[in-house]
Amino acid sequence: YGVPGMSLAVAKDGRLLLARGYGWADRDAQEPVQPDTRFRIASVSKPVTAFAILSLVDDGKIALDAPILTQFDQRAAARAKEPNDPRWNQITPRHLLQHTGGFDRGASFDPMFRSRSIAEAEGVAPPANGDAIVRYMLDRALDFEPGSRYAYSNFGYLLLGQLIESVSGQDYETFVRDDVLAPMNIRDMALGRTLLEHRAPKESRYYASGPRASVFESTTPRVPRPYGAWYFVPMPAPAASFA
């Protein structure tokens, strides 16, 4: 795949045996990968989100099998309007954790990658944030009965991330950093950003062939696929954190 660099860590019985970087973190600047180079972990964020949800279940703040729409506070977008499809009221956090919530991107689409068109439909400046995406999806029918089958869903994990914020009173990044990762002595987590100029210190640079349309404005020149072809801000819980 022409990957310019990677890092590798090996642990056994609670001890770190190997931590090394290989290749380039920034090929153009000839910056080598270090053991602590930051990488986007994409959907590996989902297990982190699941852990956060289950910790709030243990604390009695989330009911795993109660309808998720009843568990948001009044400020949440998911409480802003009645869903068009009454089956929305059957969706529980367990369904979303297990990708059985009723959303099937193969049968319809993945709203996490339609941020510009959703912004236009919702009458907000592009790209659409998480609240706008939720409002848009509340107007759509589900793809199947919640709990009846499996279909991988990024949007389901957006809802879980927003539930974490609603019941904890903290933003997703703060709650995960302080309540999930810090007790495990993981102290270098941050959220990824959309544009190359917002790349965090020690974060690897990404390379992909072929420019794509920008999520920001239709008049924006075509952009490199890793930097502007999708919008990271609404996606911390499904796909956008890095460590």
Side-chain angles (χ1 to χ4, degrees), residues 7 23-24 52 61 69 78 83 87 95 97 102 105 107 137 147-148 164 169 196 199 225 229 233 237 242:
S7 65
W24 301 114
K61 296 181 178 179
L69 291 185
R87 294 177 298 176
H95 289 144
L97 288 168
R105 61 185 182 176
M137 292 299 288
S148 64
I164 290 167
L196 179 61
R199 184 170 53 144
R225 188 153 57 96
V233 170
F242 58 85

Side-chain angles (χ1 to χ4, degrees), residues 152-165:
Y152 189 86
S153 176
N154 286 314
F155 176 67
Y157 270 73
L158 167 66
L159 287 172
L160 290 172
Q162 294 207 332
L163 182 61
I164 290 167
E165 294 186 334

